[in-house]
Amino acid sequence: MEYKGYQARVEFDDESGVFHGEVINTRDVITFQGQSVEELRQAFRDSVDDYLAYCAERGEEPEKPFSGRFVLRLTPEQHRLAALAARRSGKSLNAWIAEHIDEDARRELGG
């Protein structure tokens, strides 16, 4: 599920007959639950809206879903190998790493 850029993972608790979910693309904790799919969708939207309103009330910036920037720490040997592979393929190191992360992540996620 996705709403305003926030993505959620949902599970079903068979014992209680309730769906529960959590936003997965932010470090802040945003959860929701519902007994039907439509109730779950509405609870998800309400939770995101409540989170955004809470941040606004406090004068804080809400954590945005992934900015697209992160620090990657490598060993010197990994750095050397990646730089050589990128050069050999005619790409920048950044483009080469992004391409390989994309390929591996899609394969891992089944898409």
Side-chain angles (χ1 to χ4, degrees):
M1 293 175 29
E2 186 171 339
Y3 178 66
K4 294 185 176 180
Y6 293 90
Q7 295 180 358
R9 177 186 69 212
V10 175
E11 295 180 5
F12 180 70
D13 183 339
D14 194 37
E15 273 187 39
S16 64
V18 174
F19 293 100
H20 56 91
E22 178 180 6
V23 172
I24 60 172
N25 61 338
T26 181
R27 288 179 302 224
D28 287 336
V29 177
I30 306 170
T31 61
F32 53 95
Q33 67 180 27
Q35 293 184 327
S36 69
V37 173
E38 190 49 45
E39 192 176 300
L40 182 74
R41 284 186 180 132
Q42 187 60 53
F44 172 47
R45 292 187 295 260
D46 290 346
S47 289
V48 169
D49 288 340
D50 288 348
Y51 168 70
L52 296 173
Y54 175 76
C55 290
E57 286 173 17
R58 294 180 53 117
E60 298 174 356
E61 278 294 313
E63 185 177 334
K64 303 282 188 208
F66 303 113
S67 68
R69 298 182 63 169
F70 74 100
V71 175
L72 176 64
R73 299 198 195 297
L74 302 171
T75 66
E77 179 63 8
Q78 289 171 317
H79 191 173
R80 184 184 74 76
L81 289 171
L84 288 173
R87 263 195 218 141
R88 187 171 287 175
S89 69
K91 298 180 177 144
S92 69
L93 181 57
N94 189 71
W96 187 85
I97 289 172
E99 178 182 296
H100 285 273
I101 288 173
D102 188 56
E103 289 172 2
D104 288 349
R106 289 182 193 284
R107 184 173 47 252
E108 192 71 28
L109 295 171

